[in-house]
Each structure stands twice: as C-alpha cells, then as structure tokens.
Amino acid sequence: MTITIAILIPFLAAVLVPFVYKRMPSRNIGWFVLFVPLALFIVLARFTPAVAGGETYIHTIKWIDSAGINFTTYLDGLSMIFGLLITGVGSLVILYSIYYLSEREALGRFYVYLLMFMGSMLGVVFSDNLMVLYVFWELTSISSFLLIAFWYHRKKSRYGAQKSMLITVSGGVAMLAGFIMLHTLTGSFSIREIIASIGQYTNDSLFLLAMLLVLLGAFTKSAQFPFHIWLPDAMEAPTPVSAYLHSATMVKAGIYLVARFTPVFGGEAVWFYTVSCVGIFTLFWGSFNAVQQTDLKALLAYSTISQLGLIMSLFGLGSAALNEGYSADSVIYTQATFAALFHLINHSTFKGALFMVVGIVDHELGTRDIRRLGGLMSFMPVTFTIALIGSFSMAGLPPFNGFLSKEMFFETVLNARHLDIFAMGTWGTLFPVVAWIASILTFVYSMIIVFKTFLGQHQPARLDKVPHEAPVGMLIAPSILAILVIGIFFFPNLIGNNILRPAMAAVYPPFEGAEGLVPHISAWHGFNMPLLMTIGVVIVGSLLYLFLRYWRSVYTIAPLSWSLDSLYNGMLVQTEKGSTFLTRFYMTGYLRDYLVYIFAFFILAVGGSMLLTGTYLFDVSGDAPIMIDEYIIVFVMMGAGIAIIFAKSRMTAIILNGVLGYSIAIFFVVFRAPDLALTQIIVETVTTALFLLCFRFLPEWQKERSTRPSKVMNAIIAISVGTIVTVLALAVQGNKMFESISVYFEDAYELAGGKNIVNTILGDFRAFDTMLEVVVLFIAGIGVFALIKLKGGKDVEDQ
C-alpha cells in the first residue's frame, strides 16, 4: 500500500501546487515541492534492507478486474534502483531549480509538470500490470512534452517538444501492441505471471513480434539509434529538466523496460543481437557525434545517447545467461547485467552533475557555446572541480565511479569473443573493438568539457556577463552528486550488496541466490586487458584531443541532407503537405458532401461486410402478421418522408418532419409501449417548437439546383442506405444470439420505484450517462453564450 501511495503523492501535490503558489512568495514554492521527492526517497530507503534480504512487496487495487487490468504495484530490487534514482535525483534537481529559475518564470506551472513526470516515472517502474504501466509510460511522454516546451515562446523549444512527443509516443503505441500480444499468449497482463508462464509460448508466432514491438518502445524512449534524434533537440528545456529527465529518469525508462523483460525474452538470439548490437552502435554513434558539438548541452545530449547505448549493450550481452540455465560459466554473462546496473547508477551521478554544471555556466555567463568559453577555472573554482570530477568519471578514469563500471564493461565485451552461443565466435570480436573506439571518443569529449571550458584563454569580449562563481545554493546539488561519484569509487560494494544484488535477482529470477551472481567490486585487478585498454584510451584519446583541429573536418564529409534529422524533417514536411492536400480535397464546406462521405463509407463497410459474411439473410416466417392499421401508419410515414424532399418552405418541412415523429409515437402505442410513446410525443413537440422558433430567423429556403448525375448519385446512396438498414434490422431480428435485456427493465417499479420505464432507465439505471449528457449540453450552452457575448462586444466596438 505504501508504494501505491508513493506513486499517487506527486500527482496529489501537483494538484495542490497552484493553490499554494498563490499564497506564498513564488521562490518558496520550490521548498514546498522539494518535500515530496525527499520524503519519498526516505520512505523507499527504509525498504532497502528488506529488499536486499530478498523481500518483495505487492499491492493490488481492483480496477477493471473482468479484463485483468488492476492497479498492482510491485517493489523488488530492480524497481528499487529506479525508485531511488527518481526520488533522489529528483530532490537534488528541485533544490537546484530553486536557485536556477528566476522568480519571473511560471514556477507554479513548472513544478506541476515536474511532479506529474515524477509520479508517472514511479508508476512505470512500480507497475506490475502491463496496461497500467503503459498508461504511466505515455504520461511520462506528455509531461516531458510540457517540460521541454516550458519556454513555449521559443520556436526551438516547441520543435524539440513536438519531436520527442512524436517519436516516444509512436514507440509507446508499438509497445502497447506488444503488450496486447503478450496478453494474447499468456492470458495475463501481470508481468510476474508472464515471466512465470512464458516458457511454453516461445515458439508461438506472436512471441517474436511482441518482442520486437516492446523493444521499439524501449529504443524510442531511451534514445537508441536511429531514434536518438529527439534527445539533442530536447535540450531546449530548462537545465533542471535536462538534468532530471535526460540523465537519470525518462531516458532510463527504456533501460528499465529491457531489464524488466529480460526474464521474458532473454536467452533468445533475436533479443540478444538486437539489444546488444543496437546498444553498441548507439554507444559509438553518440560518442562520435558528441565530439563535433559546440554547445555544451548538445555535447552532453550526445554523450547521454552514447552512455545509454553502453548500458543497453550490456543488458543485451547479459541476456545470454538465460539461454542454457545457470552454471559456473554463466558469470561471463551475468557480469554484463551487473555492470549495466552499476553503470546505470554511476551515469546518473556524474551526468546529473555535469548537466547542472552546464546550467551554471549558462546561467552565470549567458552562453553555452564552447567557442566563447575558456579560462573559467580561476573565476569558478567550485564549478570547475565538479566538472572535472564528472567528466573524468564519464571518461572512465580513477578515482571515480565511472572507472569501475567502465572496466567491467571492457571485461564483458572481451569475454563476448569467447561466447559459444549465437555464433559469437565469429562476430564477438567486433564488440571490444567498437567499445574501445567509442571509449576513446568519450575520453575526447570529456576533455573538451574540462579544458575548453575552464582552461585555456579567457575571452571576456565574447561573453555577455562578467564571470563569477555561482551562488552556494546552486552548487549544493551538483556537489552532492560529485561526492557520490568519488564515494562510490571507494565504497562500491555498499551499493553492490544492498542495491545491485536484489536487482540481479529480479533480472534473473531462475538464478536467485546462486553463488557468483553478484561479483565483488574492486578498483585493482592487476595489469589485465581491461586496464591496458583504459591506458590505450587515455593515450590515443589525448593525442586525438591535442590534434582535434586537424581531423575535425571528418564531420563535413557527409552532407547535412543525409542526416537522420533531415530525414525526420522531410517526413514531417511531406506529412503536413499530404494532410493539407487531403483536407482541402474533402473539406468542401458543403454539408451534402460530408453526408455523401459518411453514407458511402457506411455502404462499403456495412454492406460489404454483410455480403462477404452472408449475414444479409433473414427469416420473417416466425414474425407476427402486419395489421391493416400498421400498414396505414407506415404509408403515412413514407409519404411524409418523401414529401420532405419536395417541400418548398421550412414550415412545410418542419410539419412533415413532425408527422414522422408523431407517427412513431402512434407505433409505440400500437405495440403497447405507452411510456415510450409519451416520451416520443414530448420530445417531438419540444423539437418541433424549437425548429419553428429557430427557423423563423433564417432566410427563405431556396431551391437546390443539382445536376442530373448528382441527383442520380444521391438517389443511389439513399436507396442503398435505406436497403442496408432495413436488411440489417431484419437480419438482427431473425438471428438473436442473446436474450433481450428488456425483460430486466420490466421490473422497473420494483428495482427503481418508478412506473415509467423510460424515466427509470434515464434517471436511474443509466443515471451517470444522463448526467454526463446534461453536462455536455451545459458546456455547449456556455460556449454558445460566450460566442453570443463576444459577438455582442465586437458589435459594440465596431459602433
């Protein structure tokens, strides 16, 4: 129950923020919001000892129980890692934002969006039900869209928000299809139940398709190639948003999805190669593009893409452990997953600190352009120290936590050469080669952050502000993250034994408690191959950095029109052009044309379906005979209906329309349904009166001038629709598959205390529907009233 409440608290706080914001100084609203993630972090931290001991916590609130959709929360080692990151980093980001954002900003709106996102992320990682997970998944996309577009007056902010929304939501829809397929296979939406039963469905044709669709959702969310293009443009968001969403939370949602579904799809060759190959290429592509960036936030965006690729590739390699079951040799595989989880934490610390550093530079100097920076170390010594720690950790240097996980990464990709499954003996050599090249590039862009920003020549003439150190309050959050970067290096096994161990058990349920599943983390393993690779990275990376200006022209070889961004923009432009052409084609402004489209579709869809399935057959032999009075009423209705077509005035048409309505009421009397007849008479009377009142103010009815082909087409459509509706009604009447529900309503007096069945249905049995319909009419009435008032005000201004 505690975890369920933890998910809901940020949403409840988001509702309260606007009211609190009006009653306190704008800057103090941040302190109110800070209490939410801080309290949640403390609550989750209290579960750590129990979760480390193997405990899991499950709580279910019934929702759509008949469909198997319930609000079930599940806390285990894997969700614990992400929960602590979401609330812990969230607390530091909010603390940072209090000093970063100006009081002139719409702080109330900002914190509402941030709390919405926090609650959505907690919902993603703690949900056991696939449908509930999907709801929270898309809520993260919506709230991140609002956060990225926070400065909506900027064109780039709107563009970045739109881009991230389109790509991540598209992936989310694909993921939803994968979830539905998994439910079709297993009959359950529960992740735990799917893991327990999936083994018997791996040969089903839906299994592979479900796997690829789930991966599509994960790759779009975690900015994997080729879907990474949204992340650099999302840097238009305020820096606190980038530090939170794009280093520690939203981009890690796809990582979480892959880790959570490793027990479902792990061990399959397609999963292994897709996750590991996409990840390793994203690692290289992100690091390669990061080097050419001149904007510090863009550089960090591509570095984030690269680091996410590193983590993704490790999860792919680690999934091989589920191929043949646990053995002494399985450590080769499981160590990859352990390194992925470890680097997941490390990346959140050093990347969060670096984003905040870049925000400080931008806040205090008014620019993030590396070409205008330099020599800031003497002006901003604390900021420089944090940048040094974060950058060197990202580069994989000691004594920082990134060195430990990077060494484990090198060891894992080296072991990949010796895997005797999935033909890795042939392709496995590529993994350490690509990993080493990408690590060299990572070293280069890490040095760019430190040396080109804080060392070198100071350029005061190119700066908008005089350089100075940031306020103490703005330095607290990145300083805490920097301390964690160093602290984890010296005490890594505190995390390994208490946080990573239960997470490993969650990723490998069959291996829980197995010896060697969680390795001992140490900084020194002797002069082994991973250390030599690190030394090579430092040497080659230093040379490439020193001679950067000589080889940077490699980025100009391919024209910009070949980029994925250009492809995306081109697709967007062509889609807009196509939709504009289509809209102009069918939006003629004539109601007659729109009715033609609707009826033509009805004829093709319903009539075609009836012909293909043979459902147009009906049998009236068992029906009651039609009496003479019924024939008379039908012919009167037919005559009134046909006469409306030839009416020359609105008054005549209204009267003939009333004849139709009152004739139906007479039918209800004949069929012994007085309640329906009374309702029909009242409705028809009110409708006729309103028609007469409204049409009195309209111009005279002019005769429509139509061509003969148009009249023929209208006649064909009218006859076809009438025939289909008649045949459909007769087919339904003659092929009853279920007992009519009308028998239930015959006891209306006993069930609802009303003698009029229609009234009891509207006011009791379906009271909520009626109430909502009334609300809709009320809203429409308000809209009409507003339009009338606006028009009246405009007329007064014109006078």
Side-chain angles (χ1 to χ4, degrees):
M1 186 65 178
T2 304
I3 304 304
T4 305
I5 295 173
I7 296 172
L8 298 177
I9 282 178
F11 292 106
L12 296 175
V15 174
L16 293 175
V17 163
F19 301 100
V20 177
Y21 183 62
K22 292 180 179 179
R23 289 167 174 78
M24 65 165 52
S26 57
R27 181 171 292 278
N28 293 343
I29 188 65
W31 296 105
F32 168 78
V33 175
L34 176 61
F35 175 77
V36 176
L38 191 60
L40 293 177
F41 178 80
I42 294 171
V43 169
L44 289 175
R46 293 180 60 189
F47 284 97
T48 302
V51 173
E55 293 287 334
T56 58
Y57 297 87
I58 306 169
H59 182 262
T60 299
I61 297 177
K62 298 293 184 180
W63 187 17
I64 313 175
D65 196 33
S66 59
I69 303 175
N70 297 307
F71 189 10
T72 301
T73 55
Y74 182 59
L75 174 64
D76 63 355
L78 184 62
S79 56
M80 173 64 81
I81 287 182
F82 287 88
L84 291 174
L85 287 176
I86 293 164
T87 54
V89 177
S91 300
L92 295 176
V93 165
I94 291 174
L95 175 62
Y96 176 80
S97 69
I98 293 172
Y99 296 94
Y100 181 86
L101 294 173
S102 169
E103 293 183 12
R104 295 187 298 273
E105 301 281 5
L107 297 179
R109 179 163 53 87
F110 174 82
Y111 287 119
V112 167
Y113 299 160
L114 199 65
L115 287 170
M116 285 174 54
F117 177 82
M118 185 181 298
S120 302
M121 277 300 304
L122 290 174
V124 167
V125 302
F126 289 133
S127 293
D128 177 65
N129 192 282
L130 292 179
M131 292 296 102
V132 177
L133 188 154
Y134 172 73
V135 170
F136 284 118
W137 183 277
E138 295 298 25
L139 280 175
T140 63
S141 296
I142 294 170
S143 51
S144 67
F145 168 85
L146 295 171
L147 286 167
I148 295 168
F150 178 69
W151 288 326
Y152 57 85
H153 54 280
R154 300 179 181 178
K155 183 178 180 180
K156 290 184 177 180
S157 295
R158 299 194 302 272
Y159 173 79
Q162 180 199 51
K163 195 173 187 179
S164 67
M165 184 82 162
L166 289 175
I167 293 175
T168 58
V169 168
S170 299
V173 173
M175 182 188 73
L176 174 63
F179 286 173
I180 294 173
M181 290 179 185
L182 285 176
H183 177 264
T184 303
L185 286 174
T186 63
S188 176
F189 282 120
S190 170
I191 298 175
R192 292 175 295 109
E193 294 176 4
I194 290 172
I195 292 173
S197 62
I198 196 64
Q200 56 188 309
Y201 304 107
T202 54
N203 294 324
D204 194 285
S205 58
L206 286 179
F207 180 79
L208 178 59
L209 187 56
M211 175 197 301
L212 296 176
L213 290 172
V214 169
L215 283 179
L216 188 59
F219 289 163
T220 53
K221 203 74 158 185
S222 285
Q224 298 297 289
F225 185 91
F227 309 108
H228 65 284
I229 55 175
W230 67 267
L231 188 56
D233 290 293
M235 293 300 110
E236 292 299 323
T239 298
V241 174
S242 302
Y244 191 41
L245 274 66
H246 307 136
S247 68
T249 51
M250 178 177 171
V251 291
K252 301 287 175 64
I255 300 291
Y256 168 79
L257 196 71
V258 169
R260 181 57 80 191
F261 279 88
T262 292
V264 178
F265 301 114
E268 298 293 323
V270 175
W271 178 272
F272 174 84
Y273 272 116
T274 304
V275 177
S276 57
C277 291
V278 169
I280 202 73
F281 186 79
T282 303
L283 166 66
F284 164 76
W285 191 251
S287 60
F288 176 74
N289 281 279
V291 176
Q292 69 167 323
Q293 304 304 315
T294 56
D295 184 301
L296 282 173
K297 277 187 81 173
L299 189 155
L300 289 182
Y302 279 103
S303 74
T304 299
I305 293 168
S306 177
Q307 297 295 306
L308 292 171
L310 185 155
I311 298 170
M312 192 70 77
S313 66
L314 286 171
F315 274 116
L317 294 171
S319 67
L322 295 167
N323 180 253
E324 298 178 354
Y326 191 80
S327 64
D329 296 332
S330 298
V331 175
I332 296 176
Y333 315 126
T334 58
Q335 187 180 24
T337 300
F338 184 85
L341 293 169
F342 189 35
H343 196 69
L344 179 81
I345 298 173
N346 293 340
H347 176 259
S348 297
T349 56
F350 65 68
K351 186 57 63 68
L354 286 174
F355 267 114
M356 292 180 188
V357 164
V358 170
I360 289 172
V361 171
D362 189 19
H363 189 272
E364 304 305 324
L365 301 180
T367 183
R368 304 189 304 258
D369 192 335
I370 298 173
R371 295 166 297 185
R372 299 170 60 185
L373 301 174
L376 300 179
M377 181 179 67
S378 57
F379 300 99
M380 312 173 76
V382 179
T383 304
F384 164 72
T385 304
I386 299 170
L388 182 73
I389 293 171
S391 298
F392 281 20
S393 179
M394 184 163 60
L397 302 178
F400 310 109
N401 58 0
F403 170 77
L404 300 177
S405 48
K406 184 63 73 70
E407 291 292 289
M408 296 175 72
F409 170 61
F410 280 156
E411 186 174 355
T412 297
V413 293
L414 287 169
N415 291 334
R417 298 175 301 166
H418 308 300
L419 299 182
D420 57 356
I421 57 172
F422 306 142
M424 282 296 287
T426 303
W427 299 102
T429 306
L430 291 176
F431 280 86
V433 173
V434 176
W436 189 67
I437 294 173
S439 298
I440 292 172
L441 295 171
T442 300
F443 181 89
V444 173
Y445 68 67
S446 297
M447 297 307 104
I448 290 174
I449 295 173
V450 175
F451 294 110
K452 287 192 176 293
T453 305
F454 295 95
L455 300 178
Q457 184 178 359
H458 178 49
Q459 307 177 73
R462 306 188 67 181
L463 299 177
D464 299 328
K465 301 178 182 179
V466 177
H468 59 87
E469 187 58 272
V472 175
M474 200 181 295
L475 294 169
I476 295 175
S479 297
I480 292 174
L481 290 172
I483 292 170
L484 287 174
V485 168
I486 299 173
I488 292 174
F489 175 83
F490 289 104
F491 305 101
N493 291 294
L494 287 176
I495 291 178
N497 294 326
N498 295 290
I499 297 179
L500 299 183
R501 182 183 298 277
M504 289 290 287
V507 177
Y508 297 114
F511 308 157
E512 185 174 358
E515 186 178 353
L517 186 64
V518 179
H520 180 78
I521 308 173
S522 59
W524 178 251
H525 296 280
F527 285 98
N528 54 10
M529 193 61 184
L531 181 60
L532 294 177
M533 290 176 70
T534 299
I535 295 172
V537 166
V538 174
I539 294 173
V540 178
S542 299
L543 292 174
L544 287 178
Y545 172 75
L546 291 173
F547 296 99
L548 181 61
R549 63 182 181 275
Y550 296 107
W551 62 271
R552 205 166 194 168
S553 58
V554 70
Y555 292 102
T556 61
I557 294 176
L560 290 176
S561 58
W562 290 9
S563 68
L564 289 170
D565 277 301
S566 297
L567 177 63
Y568 167 83
N569 292 329
M571 290 175 60
L572 206 62
V573 169
Q574 292 304 318
T575 301
E576 290 177 354
K577 286 182 178 179
S579 61
T580 302
F581 171 79
L582 182 63
T583 302
R584 288 176 177 173
F585 174 76
Y586 73 84
M587 292 295 289
T588 61
Y590 293 101
L591 182 60
R592 184 187 65 83
D593 292 340
Y594 303 151
L595 292 174
V596 167
Y597 302 151
I598 295 171
F599 289 144
F601 177 80
F602 175 80
I603 293 169
L604 293 174
V606 179
S609 299
M610 293 176 68
L611 287 174
L612 292 174
T613 58
T615 53
Y616 57 87
L617 301 175
F618 57 88
D619 181 14
V620 296
S621 59
D623 294 347
I626 303 175
M627 308 304 293
I628 186 64
D629 56 336
E630 295 169 358
Y631 275 115
I632 293 173
I633 298 171
V634 168
F635 282 119
V636 168
M637 293 176 65
M638 291 174 61
I642 295 172
I644 290 178
I645 301 174
F646 300 98
K648 296 183 178 180
S649 68
R650 289 191 175 90
M651 183 67 71
T652 305
I654 293 169
I655 293 173
L656 290 171
N657 187 67
V659 171
L660 284 171
Y662 288 116
S663 299
I664 293 173
I666 296 173
F667 255 125
F668 289 151
V669 173
V670 172
F671 292 144
R672 295 184 297 280
D675 293 348
L676 279 176
L678 179 62
T679 304
Q680 176 68 21
I681 290 172
I682 293 172
V683 170
E684 194 61 38
T685 301
V686 172
T687 304
T688 303
L690 289 175
F691 277 152
L692 290 171
L693 179 64
C694 294
F695 286 178
R696 178 176 178 273
F697 298 98
L698 293 178
E700 289 296 323
W701 198 343
Q702 296 180 357
K703 185 178 180 180
E704 183 180 359
R705 300 183 183 276
S706 301
T707 61
R708 182 175 294 274
S710 178
K711 291 180 179 180
V712 172
M713 184 182 68
N714 292 343
I716 293 173
I717 292 175
I719 295 170
S720 299
V721 171
T723 303
I724 290 172
V725 171
T726 303
V727 172
L728 182 63
L730 292 172
V732 170
Q733 174 68 19
N735 296 277
K736 291 185 178 180
M737 300 179 63
F738 305 100
E739 184 181 353
S740 174
I741 63 172
S742 61
V743 178
Y744 174 79
F745 294 113
E746 288 178 359
D747 296 329
Y749 183 74
E750 297 294 331
L751 295 172
K755 295 182 179 180
N756 188 309
I757 295 178
V758 177
N759 290 350
T760 54
I761 292 174
L762 295 175
D764 195 288
F765 293 113
R766 56 185 298 269
F768 278 112
D769 290 342
T770 304
M771 182 188 73
L772 293 175
E773 289 170 1
V774 172
V775 169
V776 170
L777 290 173
F778 178 72
I779 294 172
I782 293 175
V784 172
F785 177 76
L787 290 173
I788 293 172
K789 294 293 287 184
L790 285 173
K791 186 177 184 302
K794 184 179 179 182
D795 291 341
V796 171
E797 290 179 2
D798 293 341
Q799 293 173 4

